[in-house]
Amino acid sequence: MNAEKTRVVVLGSTGSIGVNTLDVVDRHPERFEVFALTASTSVDAMLAQCARHKPAFAVMASETHGKQLQDSCKAEGLSTTVLWGDEAIEMVARHELADTVMAAIVGAAGLAPCLAAAQSGKRLLLANKEALVVGGQLFMDTVALGGARLLPIDSEHSAVFQSLPQDPKDWAARIDKIILTASGGPFRTRDPMTLHQVTPEEACAHPNWVMGRKISVDSATMMNKALEVIEAKFLFGVAPEQIQVIIHPQSVIHSMVQYVDNSVVAQLGTPDMRGPIAYGLSWPERVTSGATALDFSTMAGLSFETFDSEDHKKRYPGLDLAWQVLRAPAGSTAVLNAANEVAVAAFLTRRIRFDHIHQINTETLNVITPETPASLQDLLALDQLSRRAAETAISRLSA
């Protein structure tokens, strides 16, 4: 390890965010080096990453996959120390030699290592929506107490962050509202009466972005935008009523901030996650990302749509759940996240229909009234309780 370089931990290195992070790191070998990588089950992909980046640690989620990787690394003569399990993932996230942690583990499973990195005062690049959605104020308090530097990597929140003054103390007095843009997903013009026929393959075919299956389905239902509304509330300290969502099919404007004088500052770019990743890694400086530059001469125009039309209300009923849970007891955001993870998994395995996802989410919110979570254990218990309630709702549908 070179003390003059920024040592990077990538949680979820074999997913799309992780792969793009390593691509940006590769472009700046004089500035960054990989300290640790973690993955769930993709042993072959992790082995290739270990061979290329030579991290000090590689961690798999399970013992089975960890031992497979360990044997493979030994056979290849790699010096990387291979570990496995939740404790090992948290260990590399808080390791004293690590400087920056890219949090790209999908789902509530990413919450514990995110908290570990926050407690240890790391630069925490947050691509995991669920850490904020599930952790809420508890997560933000941990960031503050640990002295961590939290930088958003979602393209929308990165765009907002880039459009704000550098000093957070200026935000409350200057911001009128935050405007999050949404592409509308693959079904923006589809007859909402046909959504019950949607297949997993159709839902995963996003028109602009290359993403994992779960987040692609969330984009199709607009639940990803609901989660982003929740994130924005905690990240930027605004009231839920100060957050607006508009459809912008071209995905050129990634989000905007409207100030109290009604001027609007927007961040534009091609739909390439390497842009916000590079900004998070290098902030407050900027480095090349590999993303293609915008060519304004080829743009026919930028268009916008509201969610007020009757068709959009039927097409994206889950979006309003964001404001609903933000007005509900603390912990309700965690309930929504857990229900949605279970429902999306059930849809991807063809246990339920596409339009049932919203039904499962609302039914779970109706039966779970959380108490304010005071610890990680409270959050994990609430997550499990909500998952069981969602599974019960799915069972009733399947009966």
Side-chain angles (χ1 to χ4, degrees):
M1 294 288 116
N2 189 328
E4 296 181 357
K5 297 181 181 181
T6 298
R7 294 178 290 266
V8 180
V9 176
V10 184
L11 306 175
S13 66
T14 59
S16 61
I17 296 293
V19 169
N20 280 316
T21 301
L22 293 175
D23 180 82
V24 174
V25 167
D26 254 350
R27 293 171 187 275
H28 302 279
E30 77 292 345
R31 184 165 185 151
F32 307 110
E33 67 179 349
V34 177
F35 178 71
L37 302 172
T38 82
S40 179
T41 60
S42 302
V43 173
D44 291 342
M46 177 66 98
L47 177 63
Q49 290 179 346
C50 289
R52 179 169 182 81
H53 299 283
K54 298 178 174 56
F57 296 97
V59 187
M60 301 300 294
S62 73
E63 180 178 0
T64 299
H65 295 102
K67 287 187 173 179
Q68 289 177 12
L69 179 63
Q70 187 177 62
D71 292 342
S72 298
C73 284
K74 184 176 181 180
E76 295 290 331
L78 301 177
S79 61
T80 296
T81 298
V82 178
L83 305 169
W84 50 83
D86 294 341
E87 291 184 3
I89 296 173
E90 292 177 44
M91 183 276 290
V92 297
R94 66 161 61 93
H95 200 286
E96 61 180 7
L97 294 181
D99 302 309
T100 295
V101 176
M102 168 60 77
I105 295 175
V106 176
L111 177 59
C114 281
L115 284 169
Q119 289 166 346
S120 304
K122 307 300 182 188
R123 172 177 290 210
L124 180 55
L125 310 185
L126 193 64
N128 171 291
K129 295 179 186 299
E130 292 78 12
L132 263 176
V133 173
V134 177
Q137 194 57 50
L138 177 65
F139 180 75
M140 294 304 295
D141 291 345
T142 302
V143 169
L145 288 171
R149 174 75 252 188
L150 182 64
L151 297 171
I153 300 301
D154 266 357
S155 61
E156 295 82 1
H157 298 106
S158 176
V160 171
F161 182 70
Q162 293 181 58
S163 301
L164 287 168
Q166 281 205 6
D167 189 348
K169 294 177 183 176
D170 294 336
W171 294 354
R174 296 190 187 186
I175 295 174
D176 178 45
K177 62 181 175 181
I178 286 171
I179 304 168
L180 302 177
T181 57
S183 69
F187 307 132
R188 181 177 64 86
T189 60
R190 179 163 173 157
D191 182 351
M193 300 305 293
T194 69
L195 291 178
H196 66 282
Q197 301 170 348
V198 165
T199 67
E201 292 75 22
E202 290 173 319
C204 290
H206 195 281
N208 298 340
W209 297 89
V210 177
M211 305 180 294
R213 284 165 62 80
K214 193 268 182 183
I215 193 172
S216 294
V217 175
D218 282 348
S219 180
T221 63
M222 207 54 70
M223 183 52 61
N224 72 320
K225 210 56 51 177
L227 300 179
E228 287 169 15
V229 168
I230 296 166
E231 284 185 277
K233 187 270 182 192
F234 290 111
L235 276 171
F236 305 117
V238 295
E241 295 74 25
Q242 289 178 280
I243 306 169
Q244 179 184 357
V245 179
I246 61 170
I247 293 178
H248 169 50
Q250 295 81 20
S251 295
V252 171
I253 298 176
H254 296 310
S255 278
M256 299 171 269
V257 176
Q258 181 170 308
Y259 287 88
V260 292
D261 61 358
N262 288 332
S263 62
V264 177
V265 177
Q267 188 268 334
L268 286 69
T270 52
D272 189 324
M273 286 306 300
R274 290 176 296 178
I277 289 168
Y279 187 67
L281 285 169
S282 63
W283 181 89
E285 303 172 35
R286 289 184 184 268
V287 297
T288 57
S289 66
T292 304
L294 285 174
D295 183 353
F296 289 95
S297 68
T298 64
M299 291 185 193
L302 303 179
S303 60
F304 305 92
E305 303 168 14
T306 72
F307 285 90
D308 295 336
S309 73
E310 286 304 313
D311 272 358
H312 281 347
K313 288 178 181 179
K314 294 174 183 176
R315 196 174 281 118
Y316 310 118
L319 180 60
D320 282 338
L321 293 178
W323 290 273
Q324 178 181 318
V325 296
L326 286 172
R327 290 190 294 265
S332 297
T333 58
V335 176
L336 174 60
N337 179 77
N340 186 63
E341 284 191 21
V342 171
V344 170
F347 166 68
L348 286 171
T349 54
R350 305 178 195 275
R351 294 174 58 203
I352 63 172
R353 298 194 319 242
F354 180 79
D355 58 319
H356 286 156
I357 295 173
H358 177 64
Q359 183 176 335
I360 298 302
N361 291 342
T362 53
E363 286 189 21
T364 305
L365 286 169
N366 288 337
V367 300
I368 302 292
T369 303
E371 297 182 3
T372 301
S375 66
L376 173 61
Q377 289 68 33
D378 288 348
L379 289 171
L380 295 177
L382 178 57
D383 178 77
Q384 290 302 308
L385 178 66
S386 304
R387 288 172 186 275
R388 288 194 293 271
E391 285 290 357
T392 298
I394 290 170
S395 297
R396 286 198 297 269
L397 277 176
S398 304

